[in-house]
Amino acid sequence: MALNNYRALPSSSCPSQGKSNHVPLSPISFLERAVRVHPDRTAIVEDDATFSYQSFYQRCRQLGGALQALGITSDRVVSTLGMNSRAMLEAHYGVPMAGGILNAINARLDGASVAFIMAHAETRILIFDRALRHTVAAAMALLTTPPPVLIEVEDGSGKASPWDLSTPHDYESLVKGAPPCLPVSPEEESDCIALNYTSGTTGNPKGVIYSHRGAYLNALSNTLTLKMDDRTVYLWTLPMFHCNGWTHTWAVTAAGGTHVCMRRVEPARVLEMIHTRGITHMAAAPIIMTMLLDRPEAATPLPHPVMLATGGAPPNSATIARMSALGFNVLHLYGMTETYGPSLVCQFQPEWSTLTIEARARLQIRQGVGTLAIERVALKDPVTHEDVPADGQSLGHLMLRGNTIMQGYIKNPEATLEAMGRGWLDTGDIAVMHEDGYIEIRDRAKDIIISGGESISSIEIEEIMMSHPAIREVAVIARPHEFWGETPHAFVVPASETDRPSEAELLSWCREHMAHFKVPRHVTFQASLPRTSTGKLQKYALREQQKNQMATA
């Protein structure tokens, strides 16, 4: 039979064919299915209150109706500024149900940054937590564009203070009083469902465009990667404003699981909820793992295994080993805002089970292989675009291709072309590929240290130094050197201020455990390291600190 016989009939011969075999993909369908299949199952737990999928779905439709009444139509932006709450989850469904685009703003930004994002996104409505009203007031005072309609969420932080610019609507009253909308389906699955702004550490943040299709596929990929099902009880320790919670806002619902909201991550409460709420899954930056291990409760093994997905910064093997001993199944992921969150996973291999916890942890710190939603992963020379050998030593730029790569940067075609113009998303990360095909990040392109012509991975030094029992955290950056060009400079958080090694003792230990040219020439002890709200090290802040140190030396 000729190949053409396997292809679809032309639409003219079967006008209704497209309706029967093509529906634009959208994660909103996950909630619509959940309410059909298990309407009475617990969808959300917030404090002591529980909400069924039927209630969740109804409230999302009412939120959509309220937003439409306030002027939200197709492609209008609704921003949120809040922590992990039921209202934030409802916005992930109610906003696109109304036909709008969701822009979840980092709740830890200052007023000027919030004002820039709202102006750039042309925000029509802002839903915000009452505890953040002062940030909102500061942002509103700086806006030079028409101000958005304000909707305030009661979050237990106290009575709202007077507003100088406008009086916000009350979220709960607005939702309860609105007629439910008829959910709007996207005309094309490539239509925008969300805008997520990058951190903007080297300039203004860029608005990353997420499509309904990409969000749908990444969410399903996550349900499989994290082995979610209808028994999943997911604790929200990952900010929902970060890549829409790595699309777990939609993934947990796709699995028919339960969302357990936690506005503020308190390590003692996290461990308590694992025991009392039966938490099965959570996601967190490596710093959260360190905080959990610092708690005295961490001496007691968990009552059941908990899948913990981590990313944002490479974890060290010592931390993974300790978490594994406690009862956490640590799954290392890699991703970025431009990839809807997770795009690589350190897929656990059965033969690793026979290894010691320490040996297994050294494999688990690798970033791994592409998730199901990523079609191709490659390490390429950034100039020639040739693949580099998979020998565990040759460095190349990590590049990705697939259906969960952003649509581009809004209003920024130049940056879009720079990132994706050669048919791959250039992540800007420097990595090696091992013979088994697993990727291991060695550094950001801007963080690699070139000393006497040798490339030194700051992450490699950090990994080795973290095995010292007196070190709690460490970050390594390049320090200018007249002869070598650059040498490593380590910023160290000691495990104990009263019993920390001297700089000389620590450097002597380093010389025993790494090649001498990699040993830091300088060590700075301090109480903490600067991090973003999602746990990423802010090495640019350390560079500024170093610059000031050198200027006053």
Side-chain angles (χ1 to χ4, degrees), residues 520-534:
R521 297 292 185 98
H522 299 273
V523 174
T524 300
F525 290 99
Q526 51 196 51
S528 63
L529 298 176
R531 294 182 179 273
T532 67
S533 59
T534 56

Side-chain angles (χ1 to χ4, degrees), residues 107-129:
R108 297 183 177 93
L109 294 178
D110 59 14
S113 299
V114 173
F116 171 84
I117 290 173
M118 288 198 297
H120 193 266
E122 300 179 32
T123 297
R124 297 302 181 96
I125 294 176
L126 174 66
I127 302 171
F128 68 95
D129 279 3

Side-chain angles (χ1 to χ4, degrees), residues 77-93:
V77 173
V78 178
S79 295
T80 61
L81 189 71
M83 308 306 285
N84 294 344
S85 67
R86 175 168 52 96
M88 277 286 281
L89 271 175
E90 289 169 352
H92 275 79
Y93 296 87

Side-chain angles (χ1 to χ4, degrees), residues 308-331:
L308 191 154
T310 190
N316 62 80
S317 57
T319 297
I320 290 182
R322 291 179 63 196
M323 292 291 286
S324 298
L326 184 59
F328 286 97
N329 293 327
V330 180
L331 186 65

Side-chain angles (χ1 to χ4, degrees), residues 189-429:
E189 58 188 22
S190 59
D191 289 350
C192 179
I193 189 174
L195 278 178
N196 287 289
Y197 279 77
T198 60
S199 57
T201 56
T202 56
N204 287 327
K206 298 187 286 289
V208 176
I209 302 171
Y210 284 9
S211 69
H212 284 259
R213 172 184 172 82
Y216 180 101
L217 292 173
N218 204 63
L220 284 186
S221 178
N222 276 320
T223 63
L224 292 166
T225 299
L226 272 65
K227 297 179 172 61
M228 294 180 182
D229 58 24
D230 56 8
R231 295 163 295 183
T232 293
V233 182
Y234 183 94
L235 180 62
W236 274 103
T237 49
L238 174 76
M240 291 184 195
F241 57 69
H242 183 47
C243 306
N244 302 111
W246 295 356
T247 69
H248 294 172
T249 46
W250 299 304
V252 176
T253 301
T258 299
H259 300 265
V260 180
C261 296
M262 176 178 276
R263 287 181 179 274
R264 295 169 185 83
V265 178
E266 300 167 353
R269 189 162 170 248
V270 170
L271 293 169
E272 175 194 355
M273 293 183 77
I274 290 173
H275 286 261
T276 60
R277 292 287 188 184
I279 303 302
T280 62
H281 291 72
M282 54 186 287
I287 185 61
I288 300 299
M289 294 195 289
T290 302
M291 292 167 61
L292 290 173
L293 291 171
D294 283 345
R295 296 294 308 176
E297 298 93 326
T300 304
L302 302 181
H304 55 267
V306 175
M307 172 71 79
L308 191 154
T310 190
N316 62 80
S317 57
T319 297
I320 290 182
R322 291 179 63 196
M323 292 291 286
S324 298
L326 184 59
F328 286 97
N329 293 327
V330 180
L331 186 65
H332 185 199
L333 301 168
Y334 165 90
M336 54 198 306
T337 306
E338 288 84 347
T339 63
Y340 297 71
S343 52
L344 299 182
V345 55
C346 191
Q347 191 80 42
F348 192 88
Q349 298 292 339
E351 55 268 26
W352 295 359
S353 300
T354 62
L355 303 175
T356 64
I357 289 180
E358 292 75 17
R360 191 162 63 239
R362 285 193 291 273
L363 292 173
Q364 288 177 276
I365 66 172
R366 298 184 300 179
Q367 282 63 37
V369 294
T371 61
L372 287 169
I374 293 292
E375 290 298 319
R376 287 287 312 280
V377 179
L379 291 188
K380 292 180 175 290
D381 182 290
V383 177
T384 66
H385 245 237
E386 294 293 325
D387 290 346
V388 302
D391 56 11
Q393 296 181 7
S394 300
L395 297 173
H397 274 225
L398 173 59
M399 300 196 185
L400 304 172
R401 175 184 286 171
N403 291 295
T404 53
I405 304 299
M406 66 171 179
Q407 300 294 91
Y409 298 114
I410 190 171
K411 302 177 184 176
N412 200 335
E414 296 82 6
T416 302
L417 184 63
E418 181 180 357
M420 306 168 65
R422 300 180 73 175
W424 295 79
L425 174 69
D426 189 339
T427 68
D429 281 317

